[in-house]
Amino acid sequence: TTITSNHWIMAWAGLEINTLSILPLISKSHHPRAIEAATKYFLTQATASALVLFSSMTNAWHTGQWDITQMTHPTSCLILTSAIAMKLGMVPFHFWFPEVLQGSPLTTGLLLSTIMKLPPITLLFMTHHSLNPTLLTCMAIMSAALGGWMGLNQTQVRKVLAFSSISHLGWMTIILSFNPKLTLLNFYLYTLMTLSIFLTLNTIKVLKLSTLITSWTKAPSLSAMLLLTLLSLAGLPPLTGFLPKWLIIQELTKQNMAPMATMISLFSLLGLYFYLRLAYCATITLPPHTTNHMKQWHSHKPASTLI
């Protein structure tokens, strides 16, 4: 509904249906962590949808237009940008996304990272000509920086992929005002690579790095595919993920934004570290063994005293 509509009310209704449809999938396990994730997701998305409705009503109040492409009032554009950033999980509205992804099953996490981001990105695509380029660029740089920085010390694979998603959203947003087709290309390729990573992790039942270390002995071919997909997501040159980054850097340079291109490229190096760490863990062919030294620490028990 959101993707095909031209009227703001229909787009808002589509976003609400989108939110309500995924909530049962997040809270399916009835675990307290899943319920917490569902509550966080619902509150954030409800707030963002309310802001979308408020921005469209403000625009209609001043211009008399309910068409999505006729968003011309500056305040409405500012509120809309914030609302969509909140829906996508961009900095500074990113806090909910890693927590929700961590509390969801892998298949639901896949939906949250890919399909659920399509309607907000479509709204950005349709309104890109009226959004503030400076605000989008600042949010994009911050997303790329924080997505790389926060992913460094994570041991849970889902959280690493959440910060990876935030970092990729930075790349999508920085080019939106200048060449929105590159934003869609980046999103499609990101969706394709994330799909294969989540499905592979779901097949070999991996949720954290310590489990990933022993995955090669269970499924060598899947671990090899996971390695290549992770390196592609990192944007290393021979692989598919390098294409959108290359095109975005090229377009930013054409728009006399070489410093921004340099900054976002340097911040993507932070992400490269944790992608390589995941790839390294996926390719360890021998599982780690516990030493006798470790066992001795557990064997010493304090002498019990009788009262």
Side-chain angles (χ1 to χ4, degrees), residues 240-256:
T240 315
F242 175 63
L243 176 67
K245 285 185 167 63
W246 181 26
L247 294 175
I248 287 170
I249 290 169
Q250 194 176 22
E251 186 65 31
L252 286 173
T253 312
K254 285 180 187 174
Q255 299 290 340
N256 294 322

